Structures are given as C-alpha cells and as structure tokens.
Amino acid sequence: MHDIPDPFVAADVDLQDFPFMPLHVARLRDSNLAAEVHPEACWYAVLLWAAAWHQIPAGSLPDNDLALMRLAGLGRDERTWKKHKAGALHGFVQCSDGRLYHKVIAEQANEAWDGKLKQRHRT
C-alpha cells in the first residue's frame, strides 16, 4: 500500500515575516535538480521554493495546478507548466494534509521557526 507521509512542518509554522530564505549553494549546485532537470524547470523550482517559504505552513505548496502556475511565475500558461511541472516540483512530496512539501525547504523552515520561537521566549 502507498503510505502518504505526515507534513514535514507543523501547521502553524509561519515565516511570512522572514524575507530571507537560506540557500546552500554547494547543495544546490551538486543536486540532482541541477544535474538532471531542464534549466527552465530549475528556475520554476527556485521560484516555487521561494513561494513555499512564505506559505502556511512554511515549506509547503498547495496541490493545485492553477496556484502552482501562478507561484512559478507562469500565470495561466498551462502548456509551459505541463512541460516543466515534474522538474519544477522536483523534491516536493504530497503529504497527508494534501499539501506538497520539500524536505530541504522544510528543514530550513523548521530551523528558522525554532529560532523565531527561541527569540520570542528571550524577549
């Protein structure tokens, strides 16, 4: 049977006030995304990472093609989206809440959220 994982980030993780998202240059440069995916799809992937950073929960995207096209900067260009969808969503996994999560973005979001909560506690 096909197991759908639980979300990689808690439902309340909100980083909309975080304008900066970490990017591990060597990790991206040496990734399967960079090595195997069409360059245009890689660009859409990066835009989707940025969009996921500011979604709630952070690190996730809606599983909706119209929303994903818009978030990838394609408006309603279904033809281009269909051509590059698989590459643009490289690394994203559908989770039990119906949203798409990227493990690396979720990892960064969880670290940022933890830092935000610790800062809140200190102040």
Side-chain angles (χ1 to χ4, degrees):
M1 186 164 172
H2 181 153
D3 289 328
I4 297 176
D6 288 332
F8 304 153
V9 175
D12 63 342
V13 175
D14 179 355
L15 300 177
Q16 292 180 335
D17 60 338
F18 278 49
F20 171 78
M21 180 182 81
L23 178 67
H24 294 273
V25 176
R27 192 173 188 176
L28 173 58
R29 182 196 64 221
D30 299 338
S31 70
N32 289 340
L33 174 74
E36 300 170 3
V37 174
H38 188 280
E40 188 173 350
C42 288
W43 172 243
Y44 301 137
V46 171
L47 290 176
L48 290 175
W49 297 347
W53 187 252
H54 283 148
Q55 291 283 304
I56 299 173
S60 74
L61 293 170
D63 187 15
N64 175 292
D65 279 342
L66 287 175
L68 292 169
M69 284 188 291
R70 182 182 52 78
L71 293 170
L74 290 168
R76 292 184 171 266
D77 184 353
E78 285 186 65
R79 183 174 172 206
T80 301
W81 176 244
K82 285 179 182 179
K83 180 179 178 181
H84 295 294
K85 178 180 179 177
L89 291 175
H90 182 86
F92 279 92
V93 176
Q94 185 177 33
C95 289
S96 60
D97 65 351
R99 294 184 66 83
L100 305 172
Y101 289 80
H102 192 286
K103 284 189 177 190
V104 176
I105 305 303
E107 175 186 303
Q108 298 300 319
N110 284 322
E111 287 178 19
W113 183 249
D114 187 50
K116 184 176 184 174
L117 294 179
K118 285 178 181 173
Q119 177 63 25
R120 233 186 242 165
H121 181 71
R122 281 191 300 268
T123 59

